[in-house]
Amino acid sequence: MVAVTDELREQYDVVVIGGGAAGLNGALMLARARRSVAVIDAGEPRNAPAEGVHGLLGREGMPPSQLLEIGRGEVRQYGGHVVDGAVTSAKANAEGFTVALADGREVKARKLLVTTGLADRLPEIPGLAEQWGRGVVHCPYCHGWEVRDQPIGIVATGPMSMHGALLFRQWTADLVVFTNERLALPPEEIEKLKARGTRIVDGAIERIESEDGRITGVRLASGEFVKRTVLATASRMEARAGFLKDLGLNAVEHPSGAGEHVPADPFGRTDVPGVWVAGNVTDLMAQVGAAAAAGAMAGAQINMELVNEDTDAAVAAYRAA
């Protein structure tokens, strides 16, 4: 399929930064509201390594790239633009905002919707990153069915790994928890795991071993080798928001301790007037459906704010006349 990108105009009602599910659904709502809208997408979707999207009614198992291609077409159907490019900065101006791209282009907008998602910072274990999204997974609701009944290993990164261990036991009876010197389990937690037939392996992990592109097991620093075909681990999730620093909008630590996000109210409104966020950039745990719904909500809220501004301007002109 040939990639299509629209020409970027100088001015829009709304510029959406990030072209995943949240950004495209937000743009769809705005375009259907007859707003001029451009989606600027760097082409770095978090779920690119995944074979399919799961838990999304009506699109179960669809490849992520296909879902985004459909979404792009739907935005364009209502006059929205979808533009390839990486945003490097956003600054306030008298009419709203100026957004700069890495290739030197600039675009102005009355409002911004930021849906740039997050970056996964994985444990620094040799052989782990190469299997991310295939043999190494993070979410049982996203991948559990596909790896059911296989020998699964939990690579601990901290206290929340216990939560992951209890969850993944739902999908397999052959489960090993590798504490990797990152998880100190109190007796009551050890009892829970053992009661469910889960093995606990202490000691540092030296590397993840694979053969023909598939995980074969975990090699410990002690030399012990534990056979596994699937590993589950929690990444540190960090919002892609560095380009917002000129607006005074920064990512902060998420209350869960799972990473950094851009705070917002339930509708996506940030502390900077005129800037909204949706999807994983603010909600680290959101799956595709939740991210898309948040984008739609933010799009509707932005349109209402624009309606109010247009009405105030019309009233002022009416009175002057």
Side-chain angles (χ1 to χ4, degrees):
M1 184 176 293
V2 179
V4 177
T5 185
D6 297 311
E7 192 71 28
L8 188 65
R9 296 207 309 252
E10 293 183 4
Q11 175 80 41
Y12 293 88
D13 288 328
V14 185
V15 165
V16 180
I17 306 173
L24 290 172
N25 217 29
L28 180 62
M29 293 291 283
L30 288 159
R32 283 179 52 81
R34 310 189 73 178
R35 295 293 177 187
S36 60
V37 58
V39 178
I40 302 175
D41 184 27
E44 299 175 343
R46 180 192 183 198
N47 62 357
E51 293 183 357
V53 173
H54 299 292
L56 184 62
L57 190 64
R59 300 295 183 185
E60 172 61 32
M62 175 176 284
S65 59
Q66 185 178 349
L67 180 67
L68 296 183
E69 190 62 31
I70 291 172
R72 284 180 164 218
E74 291 173 346
V75 170
R76 291 187 172 112
Q77 177 183 340
Y78 296 101
H81 290 173
V82 182
V83 180
D84 293 337
V87 171
T88 56
S89 71
K91 298 180 180 179
N93 61 41
E95 292 78 33
F97 304 93
T98 300
V99 176
L101 279 67
D103 59 12
R105 288 179 293 173
E106 288 190 346
V107 59
K108 292 180 171 57
R110 294 171 65 184
K111 308 292 178 186
L112 297 181
L113 173 55
V114 178
T115 59
T116 42
L118 59 82
D120 290 292
R121 308 301 181 196
L122 296 172
E124 294 183 0
I125 300 173
L128 187 85
E130 295 86 339
Q131 289 285 345
W132 182 243
R134 299 185 301 277
V136 176
V137 299
H138 72 292
C139 170
Y141 299 106
C142 301
H143 307 287
W145 178 264
E146 284 65 41
V147 301
R148 67 194 185 279
D149 297 327
Q150 294 188 47
I152 298 176
I154 304 295
V155 177
T157 56
M160 281 299 293
S161 296
M162 178 65 185
H163 174 71
L166 293 174
L167 276 177
F168 269 99
R169 177 60 181 82
Q170 178 65 21
W171 281 267
T172 184
D174 187 355
L175 186 67
V176 172
V177 174
F178 296 93
T179 62
N180 193 32
E181 300 182 340
R182 300 291 187 275
L183 181 62
L185 291 169
E188 61 271 20
E189 300 292 85
I190 293 175
E191 183 181 45
K192 290 178 184 178
L193 295 176
K194 289 186 174 180
R196 297 297 307 275
T198 299
R199 180 185 171 195
I200 302 169
V201 175
D202 292 319
I205 295 174
E206 182 177 282
R207 64 181 181 272
I208 308 304
E209 297 190 1
S210 300
E211 187 176 322
D212 297 327
R214 299 179 65 86
I215 289 176
T216 56
V218 175
R219 181 73 63 181
L220 301 177
S222 65
E224 181 184 358
F225 180 75
V226 181
K227 292 182 179 180
R228 297 287 91 184
T229 60
V230 177
L231 296 174
T233 193
S235 65
R236 176 171 171 80
M237 299 175 281
E238 298 178 357
R240 293 170 172 157
F243 62 91
L244 296 173
K245 62 182 180 181
D246 291 329
L247 296 175
L249 193 57
N250 299 300
V252 300
E253 191 70 18
H254 192 272
S256 69
E260 295 179 351
H261 74 136
V262 178
D265 73 9
F267 305 107
R269 186 180 286 102
T270 72
D271 291 337
V272 176
V275 181
W276 274 258
V277 290
N280 286 143
V281 73
T282 184
D283 183 357
L284 300 180
M285 311 301 178
Q287 293 181 273
V288 174
M297 174 61 75
Q301 292 292 315
I302 292 170
N303 180 61
M304 192 66 240
E305 185 159 299
L306 289 170
V307 166
N308 289 335
E309 290 180 3
D310 294 341
T311 301
D312 290 345
V315 169
Y318 178 79
R319 289 173 177 172

